Structures are given as C-alpha cells and as structure tokens.
Amino acid sequence: MLAIYKRELKSYFQSMVGCVFIAFLMVFTGIYFMAYNLMSGYPCFSYTLSGSLIVFIVGIPLITMRSFSEERKNKTDQLLLTAPVSLGKVVMGKYLAIVTVIAIPNVIFCIYPLIIKSQGTAYLMVDYISILVFFLLGCVYAAIGMFLSSLTESQIIAFISTFGILLVLYLWDGILSMLPSSALSGLVGVLIILSVAAFYIWQMTGNAVLAGAIEIIGAAAGIITYIVRSSLFENLLSNLLGRLALANVFTDITSNSIVDITGIVLYLSFIAVFVFLTVQAIQKRRWS
Amino acid sequence: MIEVRNLVKKYGNHLAVDHLDFKIEDGRIYGFLGPNGAGKSTTMNIMTGYLGATEGEVLINGHDILKEPEEAKKHIGYLPELPPLYMDMTVREYLEFAAELKKIPKKKREDSVTEVEKLVKIKDVENRLIKNLSKGYRQRVGLAQAVLGFPEIIILDEPTVGLDPKQIIEIRELIRKLSERHTVILSSHILAEVREVCDHILIISKGKLVASDTPENLEKMMGDADTVEIETKASPSQIRELLKNIPGIEQITCESGQDGVTCAQIREKRGEDVRESVFRAFAENRQILLTLKNVHVSLEDVFMELTQRDTVPDAFSRKQDDFSRSRAENVNITVKEEKTQSVPEEPDEIAENPETEWVDTDREGDEEDAGNL
C-alpha cells in the first residue's frame, strides 16, 4: 500500500496536476481572504472558505479523474492487480494519495486564522473546525470522483461525470425547493424510488421474483401507510433527499457556527461507501 | 507448479477459453502457441489473477489464485502483452516501485533492482524517463519487472514483439538462462521462436487446448508418415498402376498440373523410404519423372493442421491415440477411417499385403485431407 501511495503522490506533483489544484485553491481562497477578512474586516475565516467551495467542484474532479481510468487505459493496472497486494490496499493507497493532496492546502489554511488573530478578534475554534470539515468534504468529493474514475477508461468522461455530480450536489438545495410538498406527491416519489431500486436489483441479480416481490411489498406498504396516515408523506421527499445536500453540514458551520456531529459521521460513511464501491467496481470488471 | 483445471472464460456469449486443463511442471520452458484471438492472453491473465475465470480454478504451487491471491501471486512474475509501464517515471524509479510492490525487503531492494537491470541490459538507461525509451527498451524494462525478485514462475506474453532481430536473440538467450532456475511460460504466434526456445508446447485454438507435447513429439505425431512429392508426365491412372505394388506407400494424392505434368504426393509409412522403389518403378516402365523429393512435416504444418480446421480436437485425439499406441507397440497403425473405406474397394490388395495400406485419393475426403497437409 505504501508503495502505491508514494508513487501516486509523486506522480501528482510530477504531472503538475497536484500543483495546479493546490495553486488554484490557494489563489481563490487568497482572493476571498483579501476581500472578506482583510479589506472588509470580517473576523471569520470560515466564511471565506465557503466561497472556496466552488473551487472543489472543479478541482476535485481534476485530481481524481486519472486515478483509475489512466491505469486502465495504459494497462498499468495489470501490474497492480497481479502484484501480491490486495485490491483494497491498492484502492486505499491511491485514495490516501488524493487525500494528501487535498490536505496540503488545508494545512496552509490553518495560518489564516492566526493572521486574523494578529489583527484583532478571531474565532479560532469555529475556523479550525470549519477547515477540518472543509477538508472532510473534499475527501467525500474525492471518494465520489475516484469511484467514477474506476468505472471508465476515459479521463475526460471521469472528469465530466464527477464535475456534473458535484455540481448537482452543490445546487441540491435549490433543486429540492422545486419539489412538491403534498402528501400524494410524497407517495409518488417514494414509489418511483422504490421502482428504481427494484429495477436495479433485477438488473444486478437477474432474479425477477425477488425484485418483483420487493416492488409489490414496498408499494403495498407505502399505499397502506398513506391511507392510514397521509400526513407522514408531507414534505417527505425534500426531507429524505435533503440529506444528500452534503455541503449543508459545512455551510451550517460557516454561516451559523453550528457543528453537526451527525453530519461529520455522514461524511465518513460516504467516504467508506465510495471507497468500497470503487473496490467492487474494479472487482466486477475482472469478472465480466 | 501450476495446475489449470477446467478453466472457462466467457465474455457475454463469446467463449474465450473453453474448458482448459493442463499442468505446468517446474523447471521447464513452456510455449503457448495459437493464432490471434485463440485465448492465449486471456488464459495468462487468468493464471496471473488479473482476470477472474467464469469456471474452473488455477493453482499456483497449491495456492488458488482466487482464494489466496496474495500468496499465489508471490510466486509469479508477469509481463503482459503491453508492458505495464508508468511513462512519467525513470527506469530505476519504476523498478524500485515494482520491487516494493512485490514485497522485496528494503535491504535487498537496491541490489535486486541492480541485478535485473544488468540481466536485461538496461543499466545504462536507468535514469531515463520511460516515455523517452524505444519500444525495445520498454519491452526490456517490462521484462525486468517480471523477473524482479526472481519468482519461481515467470509468465511472458509475447516477449519478443516489436524487437529487432538482435534483441530477439538476446531475449531468447535470457529466457534460456532464466529457465535454469525458473519455470518460464511464454506465449507467441511465431512458430520458429517457440520451436527454438521451448521444451514443451501447448497449442491453443479457439480457447481449447488442442495439443500439448514437446516440439519433436508434435512433429513426429503429425508426421507419422513422411511424404514424397513427385512430378511426372504420366497420367494419374498410370501413376496408380506403377506404384500399386510398392510396399510402404500409404496414400497417393494426384493433382494434374499444366503441360501434362502431374504432381503427386506419396505418403509413406513411418520408417519406410520409398524413393528408390518409386524411381525404379518409373524407370523400368520408361515413364518420365521430373521431380522426386522428400517433404518433412514441420511444426508449422502441425500448427496449421491443429488450428485451421473445425474438427481439430477429434483429428488430434485420433492421431494422438494412434501415436501413443504405435509408440507402445512399435507397429505402424494407420488411420482407421481410411482402412474401412478402402476395404470394400480393394480387397485383393489388403489380402495380398496386409501391412500395406494404400488408398486411391481421388475421393473427396482424402483430397481435402491431403490439401491441408
């Protein structure tokens, strides 16, 4: 694992991608820092960071796009997969290298609150926690990007799809506000999600009985609940899907100074799920 | 030792590897031979754990490649068809990375990298970026990576592709040198190469193993009868008349050429040389003989015979049966089908000379048979 980690990290800085990412993030944050903290005298660095969030949406796909797609295209994955190293370690090695690249600018960010403090009042606790959560959010985005990169041979497709998904996640709140809130639409939404899940199960297992049973039982349960207590379905969709607005955990800290521990757990679970899915995606390709 | 049992690989509906079964013994050089798309690379990829098999298992020194991958992969060095090189690394960096990946202890790492660099002669380019190397050098770096740590089994997928003749000879020598301490498996579609380097050949066609033996035995097996080719001005019926009484002839195939010249292939029984008798028969009857020469069956013919026909496995197993039986009993046994065909037509011949089996070849089946040889 260490060998892969070292090689990856080195290659990020040899191929300039890592440098470009860090420079990009530093320049943007620097501009916001100048504008908000130094020029306007606002004492919270966390607010500056929330402006830099948009850089992640472009920057993270940039560093994750090549992680697996390039290996696959150049067939160098043959070296990794025939070496006496387990696949999980290969994926972890690569993921940790990406995380390290994301960590570097975040470590540098730790200086900024001190600069503010040297000029007057600073809210160090909030600022440092926001930097940590900002870093974790980057790690979640990186896990998603790495997963998408493992699905394709083309770096361009990996970049575009990761960028698209991160952008949708960024705009998620706005999209959710367009969803209807009535109980009936909640039911319809649940049924649609259920059908998609059943279809996916059918595709994966090829077992029509199992998928059909899940669909029918789920639909029946949903409809009965709706008849008994329709109020449960009110705002269900936006509540359910609202969990996916990952950046909210971070913006809560930056705008309201509220730290949501469950949100941090959510981040860690997202990372675990996508790293696991990456391993599975590569395994699947070996078998098909 | 590698054991491959009942290996099947399907890509959708396409059967890439079809119930392969073989054993690789220690300390020999094995050659995988087969036309393009025969399933050589797929088999190697499964053996090294890069791909999963649809059915069947691969045991490397008793470790299942799928159940105990890390243990099994320690015994293998693999050079895939396209060397897996990171273009942005120098040769030295790359090999050190590979050494670490193969879990060579830190103290030995430097030494073992230097050793393989010397072995494949890339010491002088060790500080160059791989992307700046020529194809031949890249191939050697890939080979160095496979040999690194000196695993017991070294698997090379078309190791000499893209090399110039001098490099090919060097690589062959290297492979021979490696075989002193290692089991080497290499694949190729170049017959001469396999013939020259390998102790044992596995011929694969359409995902099936169609032959597995030493090169010499394969040639013998197919060439259980050598062929004499003649060109004459006699007509096919005259030829048949002339050669009728020569013992040791198994089969004659005639082909009328231009200007009244007939070309005939005379298949002899093993161990017989009928050239003299043929010459005498023609001379005594004052017929003109233009050419008379021996044609040996080469590995190339074996390869063509085994891989070009749809009925390969049957034909092969029949021949193999015959071959093994004749080896055991030391008698000439001819192909049964031909015997049964010829019995009703020429009973006298059989009665007169039960050991001689010769067949009129104007019949369709034999024509086809002869054409392929």
PDB file of all heavy atoms in Angstrom, chain B residues 27-44:
ATOM      1  N   GLY B  27      10.693 -25.986 -13.737  1.00  0.00           N
ATOM      2  CA  GLY B  27      11.997 -26.000 -14.377  1.00  0.00           C
ATOM      3  C   GLY B  27      12.013 -26.235 -15.866  1.00  0.00           C
ATOM      4  O   GLY B  27      13.016 -26.666 -16.416  1.00  0.00           O
ATOM      5  N   ARG B  28      10.929 -25.957 -16.545  1.00  0.00           N
ATOM      6  CA  ARG B  28      10.950 -26.110 -17.996  1.00  0.00           C
ATOM      7  C   ARG B  28      10.441 -24.835 -18.658  1.00  0.00           C
ATOM      8  O   ARG B  28       9.870 -23.974 -18.003  1.00  0.00           O
ATOM      9  CB  ARG B  28      10.063 -27.284 -18.413  1.00  0.00           C
ATOM     10  CG  ARG B  28      10.487 -28.578 -17.786  1.00  0.00           C
ATOM     11  CD  ARG B  28       9.527 -29.674 -18.105  1.00  0.00           C
ATOM     12  NE  ARG B  28       9.701 -30.185 -19.474  1.00  0.00           N
ATOM     13  CZ  ARG B  28       8.918 -31.117 -19.997  1.00  0.00           C
ATOM     14  NH1 ARG B  28       7.916 -31.606 -19.304  1.00  0.00           N
ATOM     15  NH2 ARG B  28       9.106 -31.543 -21.221  1.00  0.00           N
ATOM     16  N   ILE B  29      10.638 -24.740 -19.952  1.00  0.00           N
ATOM     17  CA  ILE B  29      10.114 -23.598 -20.686  1.00  0.00           C
ATOM     18  C   ILE B  29       8.892 -24.061 -21.465  1.00  0.00           C
ATOM     19  O   ILE B  29       8.986 -24.970 -22.291  1.00  0.00           O
ATOM     20  CB  ILE B  29      11.151 -23.008 -21.659  1.00  0.00           C
ATOM     21  CG1 ILE B  29      12.467 -22.746 -20.941  1.00  0.00           C
ATOM     22  CG2 ILE B  29      10.625 -21.740 -22.284  1.00  0.00           C
ATOM     23  CD1 ILE B  29      13.531 -22.171 -21.839  1.00  0.00           C
ATOM     24  N   TYR B  30       7.778 -23.449 -21.183  1.00  0.00           N
ATOM     25  CA  TYR B  30       6.543 -23.811 -21.860  1.00  0.00           C
ATOM     26  C   TYR B  30       6.193 -22.753 -22.895  1.00  0.00           C
ATOM     27  O   TYR B  30       6.372 -21.559 -22.646  1.00  0.00           O
ATOM     28  CB  TYR B  30       5.404 -23.915 -20.849  1.00  0.00           C
ATOM     29  CG  TYR B  30       5.443 -25.183 -20.060  1.00  0.00           C
ATOM     30  CD1 TYR B  30       6.302 -25.319 -18.982  1.00  0.00           C
ATOM     31  CD2 TYR B  30       4.652 -26.263 -20.412  1.00  0.00           C
ATOM     32  CE1 TYR B  30       6.366 -26.498 -18.258  1.00  0.00           C
ATOM     33  CE2 TYR B  30       4.698 -27.443 -19.698  1.00  0.00           C
ATOM     34  CZ  TYR B  30       5.556 -27.554 -18.624  1.00  0.00           C
ATOM     35  OH  TYR B  30       5.603 -28.722 -17.922  1.00  0.00           O
ATOM     36  N   GLY B  31       5.702 -23.182 -24.010  1.00  0.00           N
ATOM     37  CA  GLY B  31       5.283 -22.229 -25.041  1.00  0.00           C
ATOM     38  C   GLY B  31       3.790 -22.347 -25.286  1.00  0.00           C
ATOM     39  O   GLY B  31       3.279 -23.436 -25.510  1.00  0.00           O
ATOM     40  N   PHE B  32       3.115 -21.214 -25.203  1.00  0.00           N
ATOM     41  CA  PHE B  32       1.705 -21.154 -25.571  1.00  0.00           C
ATOM     42  C   PHE B  32       1.655 -20.723 -27.027  1.00  0.00           C
ATOM     43  O   PHE B  32       2.110 -19.639 -27.354  1.00  0.00           O
ATOM     44  CB  PHE B  32       0.994 -20.072 -24.753  1.00  0.00           C
ATOM     45  CG  PHE B  32       0.305 -20.583 -23.546  1.00  0.00           C
ATOM     46  CD1 PHE B  32       0.861 -21.590 -22.799  1.00  0.00           C
ATOM     47  CD2 PHE B  32      -0.898 -20.040 -23.149  1.00  0.00           C
ATOM     48  CE1 PHE B  32       0.231 -22.052 -21.666  1.00  0.00           C
ATOM     49  CE2 PHE B  32      -1.530 -20.493 -22.022  1.00  0.00           C
ATOM     50  CZ  PHE B  32      -0.967 -21.496 -21.278  1.00  0.00           C
ATOM     51  N   LEU B  33       1.085 -21.564 -27.850  1.00  0.00           N
ATOM     52  CA  LEU B  33       1.078 -21.245 -29.261  1.00  0.00           C
ATOM     53  C   LEU B  33      -0.368 -21.204 -29.720  1.00  0.00           C
ATOM     54  O   LEU B  33      -1.179 -22.023 -29.294  1.00  0.00           O
ATOM     55  CB  LEU B  33       1.837 -22.357 -29.988  1.00  0.00           C
ATOM     56  CG  LEU B  33       2.313 -22.132 -31.395  1.00  0.00           C
ATOM     57  CD1 LEU B  33       3.233 -20.944 -31.432  1.00  0.00           C
ATOM     58  CD2 LEU B  33       3.061 -23.367 -31.863  1.00  0.00           C
ATOM     59  N   GLY B  34      -0.687 -20.263 -30.581  1.00  0.00           N
ATOM     60  CA  GLY B  34      -2.053 -20.218 -31.073  1.00  0.00           C
ATOM     61  C   GLY B  34      -2.217 -19.016 -31.971  1.00  0.00           C
ATOM     62  O   GLY B  34      -1.478 -18.051 -31.846  1.00  0.00           O
ATOM     63  N   PRO B  35      -3.175 -19.066 -32.879  1.00  0.00           N
ATOM     64  CA  PRO B  35      -3.412 -17.914 -33.735  1.00  0.00           C
ATOM     65  C   PRO B  35      -3.953 -16.745 -32.906  1.00  0.00           C
ATOM     66  O   PRO B  35      -4.287 -16.914 -31.744  1.00  0.00           O
ATOM     67  CB  PRO B  35      -4.453 -18.409 -34.739  1.00  0.00           C
ATOM     68  CG  PRO B  35      -5.083 -19.594 -34.115  1.00  0.00           C
ATOM     69  CD  PRO B  35      -4.111 -20.168 -33.143  1.00  0.00           C
ATOM     70  N   ASN B  36      -4.040 -15.583 -33.544  1.00  0.00           N
ATOM     71  CA  ASN B  36      -4.568 -14.421 -32.825  1.00  0.00           C
ATOM     72  C   ASN B  36      -5.980 -14.708 -32.348  1.00  0.00           C
ATOM     73  O   ASN B  36      -6.767 -15.297 -33.058  1.00  0.00           O
ATOM     74  CB  ASN B  36      -4.588 -13.191 -33.734  1.00  0.00           C
ATOM     75  CG  ASN B  36      -3.187 -12.750 -34.090  1.00  0.00           C
ATOM     76  OD1 ASN B  36      -2.266 -12.933 -33.303  1.00  0.00           O
ATOM     77  ND2 ASN B  36      -3.017 -12.203 -35.267  1.00  0.00           N
ATOM     78  N   GLY B  37      -6.255 -14.281 -31.139  1.00  0.00           N
ATOM     79  CA  GLY B  37      -7.610 -14.454 -30.614  1.00  0.00           C
ATOM     80  C   GLY B  37      -7.921 -15.860 -30.174  1.00  0.00           C
ATOM     81  O   GLY B  37      -9.071 -16.221 -29.997  1.00  0.00           O
ATOM     82  N   ALA B  38      -6.880 -16.676 -29.978  1.00  0.00           N
ATOM     83  CA  ALA B  38      -7.124 -18.062 -29.575  1.00  0.00           C
ATOM     84  C   ALA B  38      -7.397 -18.178 -28.082  1.00  0.00           C
ATOM     85  O   ALA B  38      -7.850 -19.205 -27.619  1.00  0.00           O
ATOM     86  CB  ALA B  38      -5.930 -18.929 -29.947  1.00  0.00           C
ATOM     87  N   GLY B  39      -7.079 -17.119 -27.346  1.00  0.00           N
ATOM     88  CA  GLY B  39      -7.305 -17.150 -25.900  1.00  0.00           C
ATOM     89  C   GLY B  39      -6.026 -17.275 -25.093  1.00  0.00           C
ATOM     90  O   GLY B  39      -6.074 -17.563 -23.914  1.00  0.00           O
ATOM     91  N   LYS B  40      -4.889 -17.041 -25.748  1.00  0.00           N
ATOM     92  CA  LYS B  40      -3.608 -17.150 -25.024  1.00  0.00           C
ATOM     93  C   LYS B  40      -3.511 -16.099 -23.923  1.00  0.00           C
ATOM     94  O   LYS B  40      -3.247 -16.426 -22.772  1.00  0.00           O
ATOM     95  CB  LYS B  40      -2.420 -16.933 -25.980  1.00  0.00           C
ATOM     96  CG  LYS B  40      -2.329 -17.888 -27.128  1.00  0.00           C
ATOM     97  CD  LYS B  40      -1.037 -17.644 -27.905  1.00  0.00           C
ATOM     98  CE  LYS B  40      -0.950 -16.268 -28.543  1.00  0.00           C
ATOM     99  NZ  LYS B  40      -1.540 -16.117 -29.845  1.00  0.00           N
ATOM    100  N   SER B  41      -3.728 -14.848 -24.316  1.00  0.00           N
ATOM    101  CA  SER B  41      -3.578 -13.767 -23.339  1.00  0.00           C
ATOM    102  C   SER B  41      -4.607 -13.879 -22.233  1.00  0.00           C
ATOM    103  O   SER B  41      -4.295 -13.646 -21.066  1.00  0.00           O
ATOM    104  CB  SER B  41      -3.717 -12.414 -24.023  1.00  0.00           C
ATOM    105  OG  SER B  41      -2.639 -12.200 -24.878  1.00  0.00           O
ATOM    106  N   THR B  42      -5.838 -14.245 -22.613  1.00  0.00           N
ATOM    107  CA  THR B  42      -6.880 -14.392 -21.599  1.00  0.00           C
ATOM    108  C   THR B  42      -6.473 -15.457 -20.586  1.00  0.00           C
ATOM    109  O   THR B  42      -6.577 -15.253 -19.380  1.00  0.00           O
ATOM    110  CB  THR B  42      -8.208 -14.796 -22.268  1.00  0.00           C
ATOM    111  OG1 THR B  42      -8.464 -13.882 -23.314  1.00  0.00           O
ATOM    112  CG2 THR B  42      -9.341 -14.768 -21.286  1.00  0.00           C
ATOM    113  N   THR B  43      -5.967 -16.583 -21.085  1.00  0.00           N
ATOM    114  CA  THR B  43      -5.537 -17.647 -20.179  1.00  0.00           C
ATOM    115  C   THR B  43      -4.449 -17.139 -19.242  1.00  0.00           C
ATOM    116  O   THR B  43      -4.478 -17.390 -18.037  1.00  0.00           O
ATOM    117  CB  THR B  43      -4.999 -18.839 -20.985  1.00  0.00           C
ATOM    118  OG1 THR B  43      -5.944 -19.153 -22.003  1.00  0.00           O
ATOM    119  CG2 THR B  43      -4.792 -20.040 -20.113  1.00  0.00           C
ATOM    120  N   MET B  44      -3.478 -16.421 -19.811  1.00  0.00           N
ATOM    121  CA  MET B  44      -2.384 -15.915 -18.978  1.00  0.00           C
ATOM    122  C   MET B  44      -2.895 -14.911 -17.959  1.00  0.00           C
ATOM    123  O   MET B  44      -2.457 -14.908 -16.815  1.00  0.00           O
ATOM    124  CB  MET B  44      -1.332 -15.270 -19.858  1.00  0.00           C
ATOM    125  CG  MET B  44      -0.584 -16.299 -20.653  1.00  0.00           C
ATOM    126  SD  MET B  44       0.810 -15.567 -21.482  1.00  0.00           S
ATOM    127  CE  MET B  44       1.907 -16.946 -21.543  1.00  0.00           C
TER     128      MET B  44
END
